[in-house]
Amino acid sequence: MGLAIGSLALPSRVIQSPLAACSDLPFRLVARRRGLGFCFLEMVSAQSLTRANEKTLRMLQSSPEDRPLGAQLIGCDPGMMAEAAALLAERGFDLIDMNLGCPVKKVVSNGEGSALLKDPDRAERVFRAVRGAVKSLPVTVKMRKGFQDPSGDEAVELARRAQDAGLDAVTVHGRTQAQQYSGRADWEAIGRVKRAVKIPVIGNGDVLSAEDARRLFEVSGCDGVMIGRGGLGNPWIYRALDAGLRGLREKPPVPTVAERKAALLEHFDLERRHLGDRQAALNMRRISVWYTQGLPHNKAVRVAVCSTMDCGEIERLLREFFDRLPADAPPPQAPVLLTE
Ligand SMILES: Cc1cc2nc3c(=O)[nH]c(=O)nc-3n(C[C@H](O)[C@H](O)[C@H](O)COP(=O)(O)O)c2cc1C
């Protein structure tokens, strides 16, 4: 069973969320090669994009293997959002999403991200402007369940407006802006949104296993599930969730230590090839934390990776770490404490 978002027919109901500074091209390629069907670039600022900011343009980096792919915009000016959406459509992305969830103070104080939950009239103007600028692609919005109000009313209101503006789907992260990443995601609130609209609703928040995904669907009645942090260092999660949702009796095997080592080294190699050695060395400080989560003696290797810019040395450290692991090392775990 797949997921249809406007004209886009996805074979799986499991998708990967946009993750700033994480869901770059290497991350996406490693995940796609292990079963991920649809994912997003990290969010890009509409203002930076329309100004052709070099760093922002680099964030659009993709490849033929990296399809279908959604792009996500953050901004609150309807005209600028429309202009940026048209630029993204020209570049061949398969879907344009708008960010109404980012809780970061600086973003919120600009009236962007989750701040739009408090200003539904402006949010609707943004929806209509982007919809008007992008006729041929699915347009969606990803929001939190509310700004401060935990009831879910704000998400229901915004989802209705999104539907009226002609958007093709909404994603709801079951936390408020005020919660940031604390507490548990409220899947009931996702269910409230699902019951309020006819367009597909994608549920998000705290899904780390096939059992979590099954319960999210049961509690909320949602149409798709978006994985965020659960995908970091665990590119096998999509296939496991998909198999669980399809009710397949045969579960995909838990990756072996050798497979985990190979995935991390592949991730590193892709970082070097696509971003260059300097950026790859810096990014490995974060990436090696994901892949070593929950593994014995991970602290020493993380410290060592953080203390060198020499890519050859980083590779040696990672190989040595995995070669010393016992075959029955604990399975991949999400780095749950990471926040935006
Ligand atoms: C490091 C990090 C970066 C994120 N960047 C984005 C982003 O660019 N756009 C977005 O809509 N959400 C972003 N999020 C939120 C996630 O996409 C997701 O909604 C949230 O983590 C809840 O899902 P999870 O519990 O499965 O992680 C980010 C979250 C984290 C932890």
Side-chain angles (χ1 to χ4, degrees):
M1 200 189 192
L3 172 65
I5 307 178
S7 55
L8 189 64
L10 303 172
S12 171
R13 289 186 287 172
V14 180
I15 61 190
Q16 170 64 53
S17 79
L19 291 171
C22 303
S23 62
D24 60 6
L25 178 60
F27 169 90
R28 300 192 301 269
L29 290 178
V30 170
R32 286 183 190 279
R33 291 170 188 175
R34 289 162 182 80
L36 173 62
F38 184 67
C39 54
F40 286 87
L41 297 178
E42 52 195 303
M43 64 181 174
V44 293
S45 145
Q47 186 175 43
S48 308
L49 188 59
T50 53
R51 289 182 181 167
N53 175 285
E54 221 175 280
K55 191 169 159 231
T56 305
L57 293 176
R58 270 203 302 275
M59 284 158 65
L60 306 183
Q61 191 182 28
S62 181
S63 73
E65 197 191 338
D66 185 32
R67 286 291 188 275
L69 177 62
Q72 187 193 56
L73 283 171
I74 188 158
C76 63
D77 180 273
M80 201 179 276
M81 286 287 277
E83 194 186 329
L87 286 172
L88 291 175
E90 265 171 37
R91 281 181 170 255
F93 292 100
D94 299 284
L95 177 151
I96 311 293
D97 186 69
M98 289 171 267
N99 182 320
L100 266 68
C102 182
V104 172
K105 241 196 205 154
K106 211 175 98 199
V107 169
V108 170
S109 63
N110 284 337
E112 300 181 345
S114 56
L116 282 171
L117 291 163
K118 292 187 297 179
D119 193 348
D121 289 339
R122 180 181 273 271
E124 187 176 335
R125 287 201 298 281
V126 171
F127 297 163
R128 290 187 185 275
V130 170
R131 176 75 281 176
V134 179
K135 301 258 168 22
S136 56
L137 293 180
V139 175
T140 59
V141 57
K142 176 171 179 284
M143 60 178 86
R144 287 193 172 231
K145 73 165 173 173
F147 194 79
Q148 257 171 339
D149 174 4
S151 71
D153 287 354
E154 288 170 346
V156 166
E157 162 85 12
L158 269 252
R160 287 200 177 114
R161 288 181 185 239
Q163 175 170 270
D164 291 347
L167 266 51
D168 296 290
V170 298
T171 301
V172 182
H173 173 195
R175 284 191 178 84
T176 60
Q177 183 279 342
Q179 278 181 291
Q180 302 270 325
Y181 286 87
S182 65
R184 297 283 307 166
D186 171 5
W187 296 342
E188 300 277 355
I190 299 169
R192 286 199 56 203
V193 175
K194 170 64 192 166
R195 291 190 293 279
V197 293
K198 293 199 172 65
I199 53 176
V201 173
I202 298 159
N204 169 242
D206 295 348
V207 174
L208 297 174
S209 66
E211 178 53 21
D212 292 338
R214 198 190 56 71
R215 277 192 301 109
L216 167 65
F217 275 84
E218 200 176 276
V219 169
S220 69
C222 65
D223 302 282
V225 53
M226 186 182 269
I227 306 300
R229 292 164 290 181
L232 298 174
N234 188 1
W236 302 274
I237 192 171
Y238 316 103
R239 202 162 269 159
L241 265 55
D242 190 58
L245 290 174
R246 285 175 201 276
L248 300 185
R249 254 196 246 134
E250 205 172 318
K251 290 189 189 139
V254 174
T256 62
V257 165
E259 283 164 339
R260 289 158 74 180
K261 173 182 160 192
L264 174 55
L265 292 175
E266 183 183 322
H267 200 143
F268 184 30
D269 181 55
L270 287 163
E271 290 279 335
R272 291 181 75 175
R273 275 201 272 148
H274 290 287
L275 306 170
D277 275 11
R278 193 188 129 70
Q279 194 58 48
L282 291 172
N283 289 356
M284 284 316 281
R285 296 178 180 189
R286 197 167 46 234
I287 294 164
S288 55
V289 170
W290 308 340
Y291 283 88
T292 58
Q293 189 76 11
L295 293 175
H297 315 299
N298 58 12
K299 198 166 167 214
V301 72
R302 291 169 174 182
V303 170
V305 167
C306 283
S307 57
T308 177
M309 288 297 288
D310 178 341
C311 285
E313 173 65 2
I314 293 173
E315 182 175 335
R316 193 193 62 73
L317 286 165
L318 296 174
R319 282 185 185 280
E320 189 182 74
F321 173 77
F322 276 94
D323 289 345
R324 283 190 184 163
L325 280 182
D328 62 349
Q333 283 174 25
V336 281
L337 294 178
L338 258 185
T339 57
E340 271 173 87

